Amino acid sequence: MDSKLLRYTLRVDRTLFQKFRYIAASEGRSANKEIEQYLKKRVLEYEREFGKIEVPQ
């Protein structure tokens, strides 16, 4: 596994997640990849408004 990848446990309402998995499947993605897309989109929106987020390496 790539050392850049992080495992994170997400607690979410079961029905909500089932609906989310339905959406992900309709987009041809796994739930994990769909979450990753949402995270990327949100970070991009935030950085456009407030500037680049610097993180320690």
Side-chain angles (χ1 to χ4, degrees), residues 43-54:
V43 168
L44 183 60
E45 290 170 353
Y46 185 94
E47 288 184 330
R48 281 185 181 150
E49 185 172 349
F50 299 105
K52 185 168 172 61
I53 300 169
E54 298 295 335

Side-chain angles (χ1 to χ4, degrees), residues 17-31 34 38:
F17 192 70
Q18 288 172 329
K19 290 178 180 184
F20 182 80
R21 286 181 66 187
Y22 179 93
I23 294 168
S26 75
E27 297 290 329
R29 296 188 184 109
S30 66
E34 189 73 6
Y38 276 103

Side-chain angles (χ1 to χ4, degrees), residues 1-52:
M1 180 180 288
D2 188 340
S3 64
K4 291 172 127 182
L5 295 180
L6 170 73
R7 287 184 177 263
Y8 182 81
T9 301
L10 178 66
R11 293 175 189 88
V12 65
D13 177 79
R14 184 177 306 275
T15 302
L16 177 62
F17 192 70
Q18 288 172 329
K19 290 178 180 184
F20 182 80
R21 286 181 66 187
Y22 179 93
I23 294 168
S26 75
E27 297 290 329
R29 296 188 184 109
S30 66
N32 189 70
K33 283 297 181 186
E34 189 73 6
I35 290 168
E36 186 177 355
Q37 291 301 312
Y38 276 103
L39 289 171
K40 287 178 180 179
K41 180 180 175 185
R42 180 62 183 125
V43 168
L44 183 60
E45 290 170 353
Y46 185 94
E47 288 184 330
R48 281 185 181 150
E49 185 172 349
F50 299 105
K52 185 168 172 61

